[in-house]
Every structure is written in C-alpha cells, then in structure tokens.
Amino acid sequence: MKRFRFVRVVKVLVFGVALATILTYVVMRLWNWLTPEVFGWHLITFWQALGILLLSKILFGGFRGGPHRHCGGWRHRMARRWEAMTPEEREKFRASMGERCGFSVPSAPESEA
C-alpha cells in the first residue's frame, strides 16, 4: 500500500514538473515572439518566463484552484448534514464548535407555549 502511494506521488510530481516546464516554455516562446515586435521589449529567458507565470498566477489566479474545482463540495455536504440533524443535535454541534474555537454560543431561545 505504501509503495503504491509513493509511486502515485512520484507520478503526480513528474506530471506537475512536466506541465510547469511546458507552460513556462509556451510563455517564453509567446513573449519572445510577440513583445519585441509589438512593444519593442527585450527577449526573456526560461527562468524569467517561469517568474512571469508564477507572478500572474499569484496576481490573477491565486493558489486555490479554478472556480469550478471542488467549489463548495464540502459546503453542500455540510448543508445536507445540517438539514438532517435534529434541533438537539444542532445545539450540541454549536456548543462543541464553540468550545473548540474558544467562544461561547448562546443557546437558541425556547418558545413559550
């Protein structure tokens, strides 16, 4: 089992490095093809292209993934669980989360009959 996990991690790392290398090469080629003629800018190296790629990822994309990647999957699961809870279970959950997070949760007001 551990061997399979190790092989899988190595495959993901190799794929990630290959993808980053290809994207960096594409950015470098496009930059060196377009910007000198259009703007009169200088040519860039592979490492400069990698820096531009990382900078654009930080500025425009962040590191959380795209908008359609597992966006809110845990929220939907939690909402389903919350709806399936009884009021007593919800109150118990609120109290336990309050204890874990270091704040007190006021109890829900009980209706008078």
Side-chain angles (χ1 to χ4, degrees):
M1 187 69 165
K2 288 184 180 182
R3 184 177 185 276
F4 176 71
R5 184 175 284 171
F6 176 75
V7 171
R8 188 173 181 187
V9 167
V10 169
K11 284 181 183 179
V12 168
L13 286 174
V14 168
F15 179 75
V17 169
L19 183 65
T21 303
I22 290 168
L23 286 174
T24 302
Y25 182 75
V26 168
V27 167
M28 181 185 75
R29 294 295 297 188
L30 283 171
W31 182 283
N32 290 339
W33 175 51
L34 292 173
T35 59
E37 292 182 25
V38 175
F39 302 110
W41 293 352
H42 298 285
L43 300 177
I44 61 172
T45 65
F46 177 84
W47 299 110
Q48 290 170 328
L50 180 62
I52 290 171
L53 194 61
L54 288 174
L55 182 62
S56 65
K57 180 68 175 165
I58 291 168
L59 293 176
F60 302 116
F63 287 103
R64 294 173 298 167
H68 301 292
R69 293 184 189 171
H70 308 292
C71 179
W74 66 271
R75 288 186 183 116
H76 295 296
R77 286 192 307 271
M78 189 60 199
R80 283 194 305 259
R81 289 180 186 168
W82 185 260
E83 292 299 321
M85 288 182 190
T86 64
E88 293 82 20
E89 290 173 333
R90 290 180 187 176
E91 188 61 35
K92 185 178 175 183
F93 178 76
R94 281 188 192 113
S96 68
M97 288 304 292
E99 291 172 8
R100 289 181 192 172
C101 298
F103 59 89
S104 63
V105 179
S107 61
E110 295 184 22
S111 61
E112 294 180 23

